[in-house]
Coordinates of all heavy atoms in Angstrom, one line a residue:
M1 N -18.0 -25.6 -1.7 CA -17.8 -25.0 -0.4 C -16.7 -23.9 -0.6 O -15.7 -24.0 -1.2 CB -17.4 -26.0 0.6 CG -17.0 -25.3 2.0 SD -16.2 -26.5 3.2 CE -17.7 -26.9 4.0
S2 N -16.9 -22.7 0.2 CA -16.0 -21.7 0.2 C -14.8 -22.0 1.1 O -15.0 -22.7 2.2 CB -16.6 -20.4 0.6 OG -17.5 -20.0 -0.4
H3 N -13.5 -21.7 0.8 CA -12.4 -22.1 1.4 C -11.5 -20.9 1.5 O -11.0 -20.4 0.5 CB -11.7 -23.3 0.8 CG -10.4 -23.7 1.5 ND1 -9.6 -24.6 0.9 CD2 -9.8 -23.4 2.7 CE1 -8.5 -24.8 1.6 NE2 -8.8 -24.1 2.7
V4 N -11.2 -20.4 2.7 CA -10.3 -19.2 2.8 C -9.0 -19.8 3.4 O -8.9 -20.6 4.3 CB -10.9 -18.2 3.8 CG1 -11.0 -18.7 5.2 CG2 -10.0 -16.9 3.8
L5 N -7.9 -19.2 2.7 CA -6.5 -19.5 3.2 C -6.0 -18.2 3.7 O -5.9 -17.2 3.1 CB -5.6 -19.9 2.0 CG -4.1 -20.1 2.3 CD1 -3.8 -21.1 3.4 CD2 -3.4 -20.5 1.0
C6 N -5.6 -18.2 5.0 CA -5.0 -17.0 5.7 C -3.5 -17.3 5.7 O -3.0 -18.2 6.3 CB -5.6 -16.9 7.1 SG -7.3 -16.8 7.2
I7 N -2.8 -16.3 5.1 CA -1.4 -16.3 5.2 C -1.0 -15.5 6.4 O -1.1 -14.2 6.4 CB -0.8 -15.7 3.9 CG1 -1.2 -16.3 2.7 CG2 0.8 -15.6 4.0 CD1 -0.8 -17.7 2.5
G8 N -0.9 -16.2 7.5 CA -0.7 -15.6 8.8 C -2.1 -15.5 9.5 O -3.1 -15.1 8.9
L9 N -2.2 -15.9 10.7 CA -3.4 -15.9 11.5 C -3.2 -15.2 12.7 O -3.3 -15.7 13.9 CB -4.0 -17.4 11.7 CG -5.4 -17.4 12.2 CD1 -6.3 -17.0 11.2 CD2 -5.7 -18.8 12.6
G10 N -2.9 -13.9 12.6 CA -2.7 -13.0 13.7 C -3.9 -12.1 14.1 O -5.0 -12.5 13.8
Y11 N -3.5 -11.0 14.6 CA -4.5 -10.0 15.1 C -5.7 -9.7 14.1 O -6.8 -9.6 14.5 CB -3.8 -8.8 15.6 CG -4.7 -7.7 16.1 CD1 -5.1 -7.7 17.4 CD2 -5.1 -6.6 15.3 CE1 -5.9 -6.8 17.9 CE2 -5.9 -5.6 15.8 CZ -6.4 -5.7 17.1 OH -7.2 -4.8 17.6
S12 N -5.3 -9.5 12.9 CA -6.3 -9.0 11.9 C -7.0 -10.3 11.3 O -8.3 -10.2 11.2 CB -5.6 -8.3 10.7 OG -5.0 -7.1 11.2
A13 N -6.3 -11.3 11.0 CA -7.0 -12.4 10.3 C -7.7 -13.4 11.2 O -8.8 -14.0 10.8 CB -5.9 -13.2 9.5
R14 N -7.4 -13.4 12.5 CA -8.0 -14.3 13.4 C -9.5 -14.1 13.5 O -10.3 -15.0 13.4 CB -7.4 -14.3 14.8 CG -7.9 -15.3 15.7 CD -7.1 -15.4 17.1 NE -5.7 -15.4 16.9 CZ -4.9 -14.4 17.3 NH1 -5.3 -13.4 18.0 NH2 -3.6 -14.5 17.1
P15 N -10.0 -12.9 13.8 CA -11.5 -12.6 13.9 C -12.2 -12.9 12.6 O -13.3 -13.2 12.5 CB -11.6 -11.2 14.4 CG -10.3 -10.6 14.1 CD -9.3 -11.6 14.1
I16 N -11.5 -12.5 11.4 CA -12.1 -12.7 10.2 C -12.3 -14.2 9.9 O -13.4 -14.7 9.4 CB -11.3 -12.1 9.0 CG1 -11.2 -10.6 9.2 CG2 -11.9 -12.5 7.6 CD1 -10.2 -9.9 8.3
A17 N -11.3 -15.0 10.2 CA -11.4 -16.4 10.0 C -12.4 -17.0 10.9 O -13.2 -18.0 10.4 CB -10.0 -17.1 10.3
A18 N -12.6 -16.6 12.1 CA -13.6 -17.1 13.0 C -15.0 -16.8 12.5 O -15.9 -17.7 12.5 CB -13.4 -16.5 14.4
R19 N -15.2 -15.6 12.0 CA -16.5 -15.3 11.4 C -16.8 -16.1 10.2 O -18.0 -16.6 10.0 CB -16.6 -13.8 11.1 CG -17.9 -13.4 10.4 CD -17.9 -11.9 10.2 NE -18.3 -11.3 11.5 CZ -18.7 -10.1 11.7 NH1 -18.6 -9.3 10.7 NH2 -19.0 -9.6 12.9
L20 N -15.8 -16.3 9.3 CA -16.1 -17.1 8.1 C -16.3 -18.6 8.4 O -17.1 -19.2 7.9 CB -14.9 -16.9 7.2 CG -14.7 -15.6 6.5 CD1 -13.4 -15.5 5.7 CD2 -15.9 -15.2 5.7
A21 N -15.6 -19.1 9.4 CA -15.8 -20.4 9.9 C -17.3 -20.6 10.4 O -17.9 -21.6 10.1 CB -14.8 -20.9 11.0
R22 N -17.7 -19.7 11.1 CA -19.2 -19.7 11.6 C -20.2 -19.7 10.4 O -21.2 -20.2 10.6 CB -19.4 -18.6 12.5 CG -18.8 -18.8 13.9 CD -19.3 -17.8 15.0 NE -19.2 -16.4 14.6 CZ -18.1 -15.6 14.9 NH1 -17.1 -16.2 15.5 NH2 -18.0 -14.4 14.5
R23 N -19.8 -19.1 9.4 CA -20.6 -19.0 8.2 C -20.5 -20.3 7.2 O -21.0 -20.3 6.2 CB -20.4 -17.8 7.3 CG -20.8 -16.6 8.2 CD -20.7 -15.3 7.4 NE -21.2 -14.2 8.1 CZ -21.3 -13.0 7.6 NH1 -21.0 -12.7 6.4 NH2 -21.7 -12.1 8.4
G24 N -19.7 -21.2 7.6 CA -19.5 -22.5 6.9 C -18.3 -22.6 6.0 O -18.1 -23.5 5.3
Y25 N -17.5 -21.6 6.0 CA -16.2 -21.6 5.3 C -15.3 -22.6 5.9 O -15.2 -22.8 7.1 CB -15.5 -20.4 5.3 CG -16.0 -19.2 4.4 CD1 -17.3 -18.7 4.6 CD2 -15.2 -18.7 3.3 CE1 -17.8 -17.7 3.8 CE2 -15.8 -17.7 2.5 CZ -17.1 -17.3 2.7 OH -17.5 -16.3 1.9
S26 N -14.5 -23.3 4.9 CA -13.4 -24.2 5.4 C -12.3 -23.1 5.5 O -12.0 -22.3 4.7 CB -13.0 -25.1 4.3 OG -11.9 -25.8 4.6
V27 N -11.5 -23.2 6.7 CA -10.4 -22.3 6.9 C -9.1 -23.0 7.1 O -8.9 -24.0 7.7 CB -10.7 -21.5 8.2 CG1 -9.5 -20.6 8.6 CG2 -12.0 -20.7 8.1
S28 N -8.1 -22.5 6.3 CA -6.7 -23.0 6.4 C -5.9 -21.8 6.7 O -6.2 -20.6 6.3 CB -6.2 -23.6 5.2 OG -7.0 -24.7 4.8
A29 N -4.8 -21.9 7.5 CA -3.9 -20.8 7.8 C -2.4 -21.3 7.9 O -2.1 -22.4 8.2 CB -4.4 -20.2 9.1
T30 N -1.5 -20.3 7.6 CA -0.2 -20.6 7.7 C 0.4 -20.0 9.0 O -0.1 -19.0 9.6 CB 0.7 -20.1 6.6 OG1 0.6 -18.6 6.6 CG2 0.1 -20.6 5.2
S31 N 1.5 -20.5 9.4 CA 2.3 -20.0 10.5 C 3.8 -20.3 10.2 O 4.2 -21.3 9.6 CB 2.0 -20.6 11.8 OG 2.9 -20.1 12.8
R32 N 4.7 -19.3 10.6 CA 6.1 -19.5 10.4 C 6.7 -20.4 11.4 O 7.9 -20.9 11.2 CB 6.8 -18.1 10.5 CG 6.4 -17.1 9.4 CD 7.0 -15.8 9.6 NE 6.4 -14.9 8.7 CZ 6.9 -13.7 8.3 NH1 8.0 -13.3 8.9 NH2 6.3 -13.0 7.5
S33 N 6.0 -20.8 12.4 CA 6.6 -21.6 13.5 C 5.7 -22.9 13.7 O 4.5 -22.8 13.4 CB 6.7 -20.9 14.8 OG 5.4 -20.6 15.4
E34 N 6.2 -23.9 14.3 CA 5.5 -25.0 14.7 C 4.5 -24.7 15.8 O 3.4 -25.2 15.8 CB 6.6 -26.2 15.1 CG 5.8 -27.5 15.4 CD 5.1 -28.1 14.3 OE1 5.3 -27.7 13.1 OE2 4.1 -28.9 14.6
A35 N 4.9 -23.8 16.7 CA 4.0 -23.5 17.8 C 2.8 -22.8 17.2 O 1.7 -23.0 17.7 CB 4.8 -22.6 18.8
G36 N 3.0 -22.0 16.3 CA 1.9 -21.3 15.6 C 1.0 -22.2 14.9 O -0.2 -22.2 15.0
R37 N 1.6 -23.2 14.3 CA 0.8 -24.3 13.6 C 0.0 -25.0 14.5 O -1.2 -25.3 14.3 CB 1.7 -25.2 12.8 CG 1.0 -26.1 11.8 CD 1.8 -27.3 11.4 NE 2.1 -28.2 12.5 CZ 1.3 -29.1 13.1 NH1 0.0 -29.1 12.7 NH2 1.6 -29.8 14.0
V38 N 0.5 -25.4 15.7 CA -0.3 -26.0 16.8 C -1.4 -25.2 17.2 O -2.6 -25.7 17.4 CB 0.7 -26.4 17.9 CG1 -0.1 -26.9 19.1 CG2 1.7 -27.5 17.5
R39 N -1.2 -23.9 17.4 CA -2.3 -23.0 17.8 C -3.4 -22.9 16.8 O -4.6 -22.9 17.1 CB -1.8 -21.5 18.1 CG -1.0 -21.5 19.4 CD -0.8 -20.0 19.8 NE 0.1 -19.4 18.9 CZ 1.4 -19.4 18.9 NH1 2.0 -20.1 19.8 NH2 2.1 -18.7 18.0
I40 N -3.0 -22.9 15.5 CA -4.0 -22.9 14.4 C -4.9 -24.1 14.4 O -6.0 -24.1 14.4 CB -3.3 -22.7 13.1 CG1 -2.7 -21.2 13.0 CG2 -4.3 -22.9 11.9 CD1 -1.7 -21.1 11.8
A41 N -4.1 -25.3 14.6 CA -4.9 -26.5 14.6 C -5.8 -26.7 15.7 O -6.9 -27.2 15.7 CB -3.9 -27.7 14.5
A42 N -5.4 -26.1 16.9 CA -6.2 -26.1 18.1 C -7.6 -25.3 17.9 O -8.5 -25.7 18.6 CB -5.5 -25.6 19.3
Q43 N -7.6 -24.4 17.0 CA -8.8 -23.6 16.6 C -9.7 -24.4 15.7 O -10.7 -23.9 15.4 CB -8.4 -22.3 16.1 CG -7.7 -21.4 17.1 CD -7.3 -20.1 16.5 OE1 -8.0 -19.3 16.2 NE2 -6.0 -20.0 16.4
G44 N -9.2 -25.6 15.3 CA -10.1 -26.3 14.3 C -9.8 -26.1 12.8 O -10.6 -26.5 12.0
Y45 N -8.7 -25.3 12.5 CA -8.4 -25.0 11.2 C -7.3 -25.9 10.6 O -6.5 -26.4 11.4 CB -7.9 -23.6 11.0 CG -8.9 -22.5 11.6 CD1 -8.4 -21.4 12.2 CD2 -10.3 -22.7 11.5 CE1 -9.3 -20.4 12.8 CE2 -11.2 -21.8 12.1 CZ -10.6 -20.6 12.7 OH -11.5 -19.7 13.2
R46 N -7.2 -26.0 9.3 CA -6.0 -26.7 8.7 C -4.9 -25.8 8.9 O -4.9 -24.7 8.4 CB -6.5 -27.0 7.3 CG -5.2 -27.5 6.4 CD -5.0 -29.0 6.6 NE -3.9 -29.4 5.9 CZ -3.9 -29.9 4.7 NH1 -5.0 -30.1 4.0 NH2 -2.7 -30.4 4.1
A47 N -3.8 -26.3 9.4 CA -2.6 -25.6 9.8 C -1.4 -26.0 8.8 O -1.2 -27.2 8.7 CB -2.2 -25.7 11.2
L48 N -0.7 -24.9 8.3 CA 0.4 -25.2 7.5 C 1.6 -24.4 8.0 O 1.5 -23.2 8.3 CB 0.2 -24.7 6.0 CG -1.1 -25.3 5.4 CD1 -1.5 -24.5 4.1 CD2 -0.8 -26.7 5.0
A49 N 2.7 -25.1 8.3 CA 3.9 -24.4 8.6 C 4.6 -23.9 7.4 O 4.9 -24.7 6.5 CB 4.8 -25.3 9.4
W50 N 4.7 -22.6 7.2 CA 5.2 -22.0 6.0 C 5.6 -20.6 6.3 O 5.0 -19.8 6.9 CB 4.1 -22.0 4.9 CG 4.6 -21.4 3.6 CD1 5.6 -21.9 2.8 CD2 4.1 -20.1 3.0 NE1 5.7 -21.0 1.7 CE2 4.9 -19.9 1.9 CE3 3.2 -19.2 3.4 CZ2 4.7 -18.8 1.0 CZ3 3.0 -18.1 2.6 CH2 3.7 -18.0 1.4
N51 N 6.8 -20.3 5.8 CA 7.4 -18.8 5.8 C 7.2 -18.2 4.5 O 7.7 -18.8 3.5 CB 8.8 -18.9 6.2 CG 9.4 -17.5 6.4 OD1 8.9 -16.5 5.9 ND2 10.3 -17.4 7.3
P52 N 6.4 -17.1 4.4 CA 6.3 -16.5 3.0 C 7.6 -16.2 2.3 O 7.6 -16.2 1.1 CB 5.6 -15.1 3.3 CG 4.9 -15.4 4.7 CD 5.8 -16.3 5.4
A53 N 8.7 -16.0 3.0 CA 10.0 -15.8 2.3 C 10.4 -17.0 1.6 O 11.3 -16.9 0.7 CB 11.0 -15.4 3.3
D54 N 9.9 -18.2 1.9 CA 10.3 -19.4 1.2 C 9.7 -19.5 -0.2 O 10.1 -20.4 -1.0 CB 9.8 -20.6 2.0 CG 10.7 -20.8 3.3 OD1 11.7 -20.2 3.4 OD2 10.1 -21.4 4.2
G55 N 8.6 -18.7 -0.5 CA 8.1 -18.7 -1.8 C 6.8 -19.6 -1.9 O 6.6 -20.4 -1.1
V56 N 6.0 -19.3 -2.9 CA 4.8 -20.0 -3.0 C 4.9 -21.4 -3.5 O 4.1 -22.3 -3.1 CB 3.9 -19.2 -4.0 CG1 2.6 -20.0 -4.4 CG2 3.5 -17.8 -3.5
A57 N 6.0 -21.8 -4.1 CA 6.2 -23.2 -4.5 C 6.3 -24.0 -3.2 O 5.8 -25.2 -3.2 CB 7.5 -23.3 -5.4
E58 N 7.0 -23.5 -2.2 CA 7.1 -24.3 -1.0 C 5.7 -24.3 -0.2 O 5.4 -25.4 0.4 CB 8.0 -23.5 0.0 CG 9.4 -23.7 -0.4 CD 9.9 -25.1 -0.5 OE1 9.6 -25.9 0.5 OE2 10.6 -25.5 -1.4
L59 N 4.8 -23.3 -0.4 CA 3.5 -23.4 0.1 C 2.7 -24.5 -0.6 O 2.0 -25.3 0.1 CB 2.7 -22.1 0.1 CG 1.3 -22.0 0.4 CD1 1.2 -22.4 1.9 CD2 0.7 -20.6 0.2
R60 N 2.8 -24.5 -1.9 CA 2.1 -25.6 -2.6 C 2.6 -27.0 -2.2 O 1.8 -27.9 -2.0 CB 2.3 -25.4 -4.1 CG 1.5 -26.4 -4.9 CD 1.5 -26.1 -6.4 NE 0.5 -25.1 -6.7 CZ -0.8 -25.3 -6.8 NH1 -1.3 -26.5 -6.4 NH2 -1.6 -24.3 -7.2
A61 N 3.9 -27.1 -2.0 CA 4.4 -28.4 -1.5 C 3.9 -28.8 -0.2 O 3.6 -29.9 0.1 CB 6.0 -28.4 -1.6
A62 N 3.8 -27.8 0.7 CA 3.3 -28.0 2.1 C 1.8 -28.3 2.1 O 1.4 -29.2 2.9 CB 3.6 -26.8 3.0
A63 N 1.1 -27.7 1.2 CA -0.4 -27.8 1.2 C -0.9 -28.9 0.3 O -2.1 -29.3 0.5 CB -1.0 -26.5 0.8
G64 N -0.1 -29.3 -0.7 CA -0.6 -30.3 -1.7 C -1.9 -29.8 -2.4 O -2.0 -28.6 -2.8
D65 N -2.9 -30.7 -2.5 CA -4.1 -30.4 -3.3 C -5.0 -29.3 -2.6 O -5.9 -28.8 -3.2 CB -4.9 -31.7 -3.5 CG -4.2 -32.6 -4.5 OD1 -3.3 -32.2 -5.2 OD2 -4.5 -33.8 -4.3
L66 N -4.8 -29.0 -1.2 CA -5.5 -28.1 -0.6 C -5.5 -26.7 -1.3 O -6.6 -26.1 -1.3 CB -4.9 -27.9 0.8 CG -5.5 -26.8 1.6 CD1 -6.2 -27.4 2.8 CD2 -4.5 -25.8 2.1
I67 N -4.4 -26.3 -1.9 CA -4.4 -25.0 -2.6 C -5.4 -24.9 -3.7 O -6.0 -23.9 -3.9 CB -3.0 -24.8 -3.2 CG1 -1.9 -24.7 -2.1 CG2 -2.9 -23.6 -4.1 CD1 -2.1 -23.4 -1.3
D68 N -5.7 -26.0 -4.4 CA -6.6 -26.0 -5.5 C -8.1 -25.7 -5.1 O -8.9 -25.3 -5.9 CB -6.6 -27.3 -6.3 CG -5.2 -27.5 -6.9 OD1 -4.6 -26.5 -7.3 OD2 -4.9 -28.6 -7.1
S69 N -8.3 -25.9 -3.8 CA -9.8 -25.6 -3.3 C -9.9 -24.3 -2.7 O -11.0 -23.9 -2.3 CB -10.1 -26.7 -2.2 OG -9.4 -26.5 -1.1
V70 N -8.9 -23.5 -2.6 CA -8.9 -22.2 -2.0 C -9.7 -21.2 -2.9 O -9.5 -21.1 -4.1 CB -7.6 -21.6 -1.8 CG1 -7.6 -20.1 -1.3 CG2 -6.8 -22.4 -0.7
T71 N -10.8 -20.5 -2.3 CA -11.6 -19.7 -3.0 C -11.3 -18.2 -2.6 O -11.7 -17.2 -3.3 CB -13.1 -19.9 -2.9 OG1 -13.4 -19.9 -1.5 CG2 -13.4 -21.2 -3.4
H72 N -10.8 -18.0 -1.4 CA -10.5 -16.7 -0.8 C -9.1 -16.7 -0.2 O -8.7 -17.7 0.4 CB -11.5 -16.3 0.2 CG -12.9 -16.2 -0.4 ND1 -13.7 -17.4 -0.6 CD2 -13.7 -15.2 -0.6 CE1 -14.9 -17.0 -1.1 NE2 -14.9 -15.7 -1.1
L73 N -8.4 -15.6 -0.3 CA -7.1 -15.4 0.3 C -7.0 -14.1 1.1 O -7.4 -13.1 0.7 CB -6.0 -15.3 -0.8 CG -4.6 -15.1 -0.5 CD1 -4.0 -16.3 0.2 CD2 -3.8 -14.8 -1.7
I74 N -6.5 -14.3 2.3 CA -6.2 -13.2 3.3 C -4.7 -13.2 3.5 O -4.2 -14.2 4.0 CB -7.0 -13.4 4.6 CG1 -8.6 -13.4 4.4 CG2 -6.6 -12.3 5.5 CD1 -9.4 -13.7 5.6
V75 N -4.1 -12.1 3.2 CA -2.7 -12.0 3.5 C -2.5 -11.1 4.6 O -2.8 -10.0 4.6 CB -1.9 -11.4 2.3 CG1 -0.4 -11.2 2.6 CG2 -2.1 -12.2 1.0
S76 N -2.1 -11.7 5.8 CA -2.0 -11.0 7.0 C -0.7 -11.3 7.8 O -0.6 -10.9 8.9 CB -3.2 -11.5 7.9 OG -3.2 -10.8 9.2
A77 N 0.2 -12.0 7.1 CA 1.6 -12.2 7.7 C 2.3 -10.9 7.7 O 2.3 -10.1 6.8 CB 2.3 -13.2 7.0
P78 N 3.1 -10.6 8.8 CA 3.9 -9.4 8.8 C 4.9 -9.4 7.7 O 5.4 -10.5 7.3 CB 4.5 -9.4 10.2 CG 4.3 -10.8 10.8 CD 3.2 -11.4 10.0
P79 N 5.3 -8.3 7.1 CA 6.2 -8.2 6.1 C 7.6 -8.5 6.6 O 7.9 -8.3 7.7 CB 6.1 -6.7 5.6 CG 5.6 -6.0 6.7 CD 4.7 -6.9 7.5
E80 N 8.5 -8.9 5.6 CA 9.9 -9.0 5.9 C 10.5 -7.6 5.9 O 9.8 -6.6 5.6 CB 10.5 -9.9 4.9 CG 10.0 -11.3 4.8 CD 10.3 -12.2 6.0 OE1 11.4 -12.0 6.5 OE2 9.5 -13.0 6.3
A81 N 11.8 -7.4 6.1 CA 12.5 -6.2 6.1 C 12.3 -5.4 4.8 O 12.2 -4.2 4.7 CB 13.9 -6.3 6.4
H82 N 12.3 -6.2 3.7 CA 12.2 -5.6 2.3 C 10.7 -5.5 1.8 O 10.5 -5.1 0.7 CB 13.0 -6.5 1.3 CG 12.5 -7.9 1.2 ND1 12.8 -8.9 2.1 CD2 11.7 -8.5 0.3 CE1 12.1 -10.0 1.8 NE2 11.6 -9.7 0.6
G83 N 9.8 -5.9 2.6 CA 8.3 -5.7 2.1 C 7.7 -7.2 2.3 O 8.2 -8.1 2.9
D84 N 6.5 -7.3 1.6 CA 5.7 -8.4 1.6 C 6.2 -9.4 0.6 O 6.0 -9.2 -0.6 CB 4.2 -8.0 1.4 CG 3.4 -9.3 1.6 OD1 3.7 -10.4 1.0 OD2 2.3 -9.1 2.2
P85 N 6.8 -10.5 1.0 CA 7.3 -11.4 0.0 C 6.2 -12.1 -0.9 O 6.5 -12.3 -2.1 CB 8.2 -12.5 0.8 CG 7.6 -12.4 2.1 CD 7.1 -11.0 2.3
L86 N 5.1 -12.3 -0.4 CA 4.0 -13.0 -1.2 C 3.6 -12.0 -2.3 O 3.5 -12.4 -3.4 CB 2.9 -13.4 -0.3 CG 1.8 -14.2 -1.0 CD1 2.3 -15.6 -1.4 CD2 0.6 -14.3 -0.1
L87 N 3.3 -10.8 -1.9 CA 2.8 -9.9 -2.9 C 3.9 -9.4 -3.9 O 3.7 -9.3 -5.0 CB 2.3 -8.6 -2.2 CG 1.0 -8.8 -1.5 CD1 0.5 -7.5 -0.8 CD2 -0.2 -9.4 -2.4
E88 N 5.2 -9.4 -3.3 CA 6.3 -9.1 -4.2 C 6.4 -10.1 -5.3 O 6.7 -9.7 -6.5 CB 7.6 -9.0 -3.3 CG 8.8 -8.5 -4.0 CD 10.0 -8.6 -3.1 OE1 10.1 -7.6 -2.3 OE2 10.7 -9.5 -3.0
Q89 N 6.3 -11.4 -5.0 CA 6.5 -12.4 -5.9 C 5.3 -12.7 -6.8 O 5.5 -13.1 -8.0 CB 6.7 -13.7 -5.2 CG 8.0 -13.8 -4.5 CD 8.3 -15.0 -3.7 OE1 7.9 -16.1 -4.2 NE2 8.8 -15.0 -2.5
H90 N 4.1 -12.2 -6.4 CA 3.0 -12.7 -7.1 C 1.8 -11.6 -7.4 O 0.7 -11.9 -7.6 CB 2.3 -13.8 -6.4 CG 3.1 -15.0 -6.4 ND1 3.3 -15.8 -7.4 CD2 4.0 -15.5 -5.4 CE1 4.2 -16.8 -7.2 NE2 4.6 -16.6 -6.0
T91 N 2.3 -10.3 -7.4 CA 1.3 -9.3 -7.7 C 0.6 -9.5 -9.0 O -0.6 -9.4 -9.2 CB 2.0 -7.9 -7.7 OG1 2.6 -7.7 -6.4 CG2 1.1 -6.7 -8.0
A92 N 1.3 -9.9 -10.1 CA 0.7 -10.1 -11.4 C -0.2 -11.2 -11.3 O -1.3 -11.2 -12.0 CB 1.8 -10.3 -12.4
D93 N 0.1 -12.3 -10.6 CA -0.8 -13.5 -10.5 C -2.1 -13.2 -9.8 O -3.2 -13.7 -10.1 CB -0.1 -14.6 -9.7 CG 1.2 -15.1 -10.3 OD1 1.2 -15.1 -11.5 OD2 2.0 -15.6 -9.6
L94 N -2.1 -12.2 -8.9 CA -3.3 -11.8 -8.2 C -4.1 -10.8 -8.9 O -5.2 -10.5 -8.5 CB -2.9 -11.3 -6.8 CG -2.2 -12.3 -5.9 CD1 -1.7 -11.6 -4.6 CD2 -3.2 -13.4 -5.5
A95 N -3.6 -10.3 -10.1 CA -4.3 -9.3 -10.9 C -4.8 -8.1 -10.1 O -5.9 -7.7 -10.2 CB -5.5 -10.0 -11.6
L96 N -3.8 -7.6 -9.4 CA -4.2 -6.4 -8.5 C -4.2 -5.1 -9.4 O -3.5 -4.9 -10.4 CB -3.1 -6.1 -7.5 CG -3.1 -7.3 -6.5 CD1 -2.0 -7.1 -5.5 CD2 -4.4 -7.4 -5.6

């Protein structure tokens, strides 16, 4: 099964996630706040409370084995003052 992880589920990622869910994808998403996590869960998606500035190791700790099933990644969280922390830390890993 295809599984998309949305780093941030805001204006851009929300309609993409909904379309993919209708096509049978499993959808997981992160939020920097507990309120955002609750909103994600209310949409029927797996919700993870995670701030990109905390690093990917923290995401793996929050998500556990879920990360290993991810087949697609959408990075839609707003950048920090210095740029996108996820891409900054893992550009080489993503083979861009």
Side-chain angles (χ1 to χ4, degrees):
M1 173 187 268
S2 295
H3 179 191
V4 62
L5 172 60
C6 301
I7 305 298
L9 191 67
Y11 180 81
S12 298
R14 190 177 308 119
I16 296 169
R19 178 174 278 186
L20 292 174
R22 285 191 303 271
R23 292 184 178 187
Y25 282 63
S26 175
V27 176
S28 300
T30 67
S31 176
R32 296 175 189 198
S33 71
E34 183 61 23
R37 192 197 66 72
V38 169
R39 282 190 300 273
I40 291 166
Q43 294 175 67
Y45 306 145
R46 170 83 184 265
L48 303 166
W50 178 68
N51 186 331
D54 293 340
V56 172
E58 290 298 318
L59 175 60
R60 183 169 283 285
D65 293 337
L66 173 115
I67 293 293
D68 295 331
S69 69
V70 171
T71 58
H72 299 76
L73 177 67
I74 297 173
V75 179
S76 183
E80 302 289 328
H82 63 281
D84 186 313
L86 186 69
L87 292 178
E88 183 179 280
Q89 294 176 39
H90 295 283
T91 298
D93 298 332
L94 297 171
L96 298 174

